Amino acid sequence: MVSGFPLLSGVDLELRAASLTVLVGANGAGKTSLLRLLAGLIGLRAGEGTVLGIDLATGERRQLRRHVGWLGHDGSFYDDLSVKENLTFAARALERPLTDLDAVLERVGLTARGETPAKQLSAGQRRRLGLAWLLLRRPQLWLLDEPYASLDDEGRDFFDALLGEVVARGATVVVSAHDPLRSALLRPTTLTMAGGRIVGASS
Amino acid sequence: MIRVALLVAGKDLRIERRSRVLLWQVVPFGVMALLLCGLALGPTQAGHSSAAPGLFYVVVVLVALLMINRSHGVEATPGTAASIATLGLDPGGVFLGKALALAVELWLTGIVLLGGCVVVLHTGLQGTLEAIPSVLVILGAIAGAGTLYGALTTGGSGAATLLPVLSLPAFAPLLIAGERSFHSALHGGSLLQWWVISLVALAGYLAVGILLYGVLEES
């Protein structure tokens, strides 16, 4: 709720495991709010919702968040830390071995940028750092808020390939975007949002 | 909780080391404020030493407010806040870690400002050195209270105004105890009662912070 108005209303959504769903809609359509609800970052005021077996209304949202990976369009890390320092912090927080770090950096193509402060990365490299953070975490549910914004074609292709991989490995991915995905590789379910509602669906 | 606290403190101090905000902005601001206090007292040295403890803590509060805003500002970007929230870190550990990092930064700044007191406000070197232990405890308590109130105001509109308004009542007993213990160290007098107040305040703010930080984060 913001100033008495519900952010989302009449949303009826069921996500299959190991699937890719794209939320499309204009600014203010409710895409980010729906992602934040799925991540357990905001509470459910009315209605029912279960994510990864956890009820969104009962206040166990902190437990849910541990199984969710979030990538925001405005960066998801500490700007003053280097790429490696950001990932080391995440790995230590999650008690993951630091030996995974180099492989993850190589996978996202940031090996040469390991010592670069995050604030000096380009938009595409920042997205790759966000992806590295998620690859390190290996969450069950990936929630990506406008990950394609300001990416060039190479960046979009890289993102598509990686999302295809993680879905094939069994993760569930929800992406918000202004437009439907153009990739021929991915076959997502596309949900159109407007005014905090889902107004259309296509597979 | 301790593991998370050390992790978060290490991260905050590393950010500080990289950004150099403390070195290039906060410490110079504190030294300038102390210098202005000295100038305001006039050219004669009489009375400088008596006013020094109070002026020292006024400057400490000003630099602490800057540091608290900075400490919470690095977490305030919506994407970063969401990502960190999904790490599922123990909130008590996060509070302790942020308070520890803030305390270390305040201790370093406090030592520089004490040196400034000797030079600018003519406090005796021996008395100033004797005041250091109580200053460290008071600054630790300010770090604890400041971290708690920083979490309360971060992200809200007018946070820069709200933080001093909300936190000054919490800082007041610390500033009184600090000023009195510094004054006793300089001019003689019992330090015991001020030590007790300082240590109780430190323990109290840390306990409340560990218990409530998670609730503040959620809200």
Side-chain angles (χ1 to χ4, degrees):
Chain A
M1 301 279 279
V2 171
S3 303
F5 290 95
L7 292 169
L8 299 167
S9 169
V11 172
D12 188 2
L13 175 64
E14 188 170 350
L15 298 173
R16 284 179 294 109
S19 66
L20 172 63
T21 303
V22 182
L23 306 173
V24 295
N27 288 336
K31 306 184 298 290
T32 301
S33 297
L34 180 54
L35 289 178
R36 292 178 69 82
L37 181 70
L38 293 173
L41 293 167
I42 54 176
L44 194 60
R45 292 284 180 88
E48 296 172 352
T50 305
V51 178
L52 300 175
I54 295 168
D55 193 330
L56 292 176
T58 58
E60 294 299 322
R61 290 185 285 132
R62 192 178 290 275
Q63 192 188 337
L64 166 63
R65 286 181 215 146
R66 292 188 183 132
H67 304 287
V68 169
W70 175 275
L71 176 61
H73 56 82
D74 47 4
S76 302
F77 27 77
Y78 297 106
D79 277 348
D80 287 311
L81 295 184
S82 71
V83 168
K84 268 192 175 169
E85 285 169 339
N86 267 293
L87 294 177
T88 301
F89 174 74
R92 288 201 169 129
L94 297 159
E95 299 184 72
R96 291 274 156 77
L98 294 179
T99 47
D100 292 354
L101 230 71
D102 289 338
V104 165
L105 279 175
E106 193 178 339
R107 178 64 192 89
V108 299
L110 284 179
T111 304
R113 293 284 182 183
E115 305 304 327
T116 306
K119 64 184 171 191
Q120 289 178 13
L121 298 176
S122 68
Q125 288 168 335
R126 289 171 70 83
R127 289 310 139 67
R128 286 171 187 248
L129 173 55
L131 280 179
W133 183 296
L134 295 185
L135 285 170
L136 204 61
R137 296 195 52 189
R138 290 179 236 140
Q140 286 175 261
L141 177 60
W142 291 47
L143 300 170
L144 314 177
D145 189 14
E146 296 188 21
Y148 292 99
S150 64
L151 284 188
D152 57 17
D153 285 345
E154 186 192 344
R156 295 176 74 97
D157 290 344
F158 171 80
F159 239 87
D160 288 344
L162 199 131
L163 291 186
E165 260 180 50
V166 299
V167 171
R169 275 195 233 145
T172 306
V173 180
V174 185
V175 175
S176 75
H178 283 292
D179 306 301
L181 297 196
R182 291 179 298 184
S183 169
L185 291 171
L186 304 170
R187 298 182 185 282
T189 300
T190 301
L191 304 174
T192 306
M193 294 192 72
R197 293 170 180 270
I198 294 174
V199 295
S202 64
S203 295
Chain B
M1 186 192 291
I2 299 299
R3 184 188 70 82
V4 172
L6 293 175
L7 182 70
V8 170
K11 178 264 297 172
D12 275 11
L13 291 172
R14 194 166 286 117
I15 287 174
E16 184 45 52
R17 199 186 69 192
R18 290 258 180 189
S19 65
R20 308 281 170 97
V21 169
L22 181 71
L23 188 64
W24 297 119
Q25 293 177 30
V26 177
V27 170
F29 168 76
V31 170
M32 282 298 294
L34 205 60
L35 195 63
L36 289 173
C37 289
L39 290 173
L41 288 174
T44 59
Q45 292 185 15
H48 280 206
S49 178
S50 293
L55 294 175
F56 168 78
Y57 276 105
V58 167
V59 174
V60 159
V61 166
L62 295 177
V63 297
L65 290 172
L66 289 177
M67 287 179 185
I68 294 162
N69 271 324
R70 164 76 183 156
S71 168
H72 286 84
V74 297
E75 318 277 351
T77 314
T80 306
S83 271
I84 303 307
T86 58
L87 288 177
L89 293 171
D90 172 31
V94 174
F95 165 77
L96 272 184
K98 293 200 80 66
L100 177 61
L102 186 58
V104 170
E105 292 169 16
L106 277 172
W107 289 335
L108 294 173
T109 310
I111 296 298
V112 173
L113 293 179
L114 283 176
C117 283
V118 174
V119 175
V120 178
L121 300 176
H122 312 292
T123 58
L125 184 60
Q126 181 68 29
T128 306
L129 290 174
E130 284 175 21
I132 286 176
S134 67
V135 168
L136 296 182
V137 173
I138 292 290
L139 294 185
I142 288 176
T147 302
L148 195 57
Y149 281 90
L152 191 67
T153 56
T154 297
S157 56
T161 310
L162 265 181
L163 179 63
V165 170
L166 292 178
S167 60
L168 284 181
F171 289 164
L174 300 172
L175 299 179
I176 293 168
E179 193 275 339
R180 287 289 82 200
S181 58
F182 193 178
H183 195 272
S184 298
L186 288 176
H187 302 290
S190 171
L191 284 168
L192 183 65
Q193 59 186 324
W194 305 116
W195 266 101
V196 171
I197 291 172
S198 308
L199 289 170
V200 168
L202 174 64
Y205 283 128
L206 291 183
V208 171
I210 289 168
L211 288 172
L212 291 186
Y213 199 75
V215 179
L216 292 177
E217 272 188 331
E218 289 297 315
S219 65

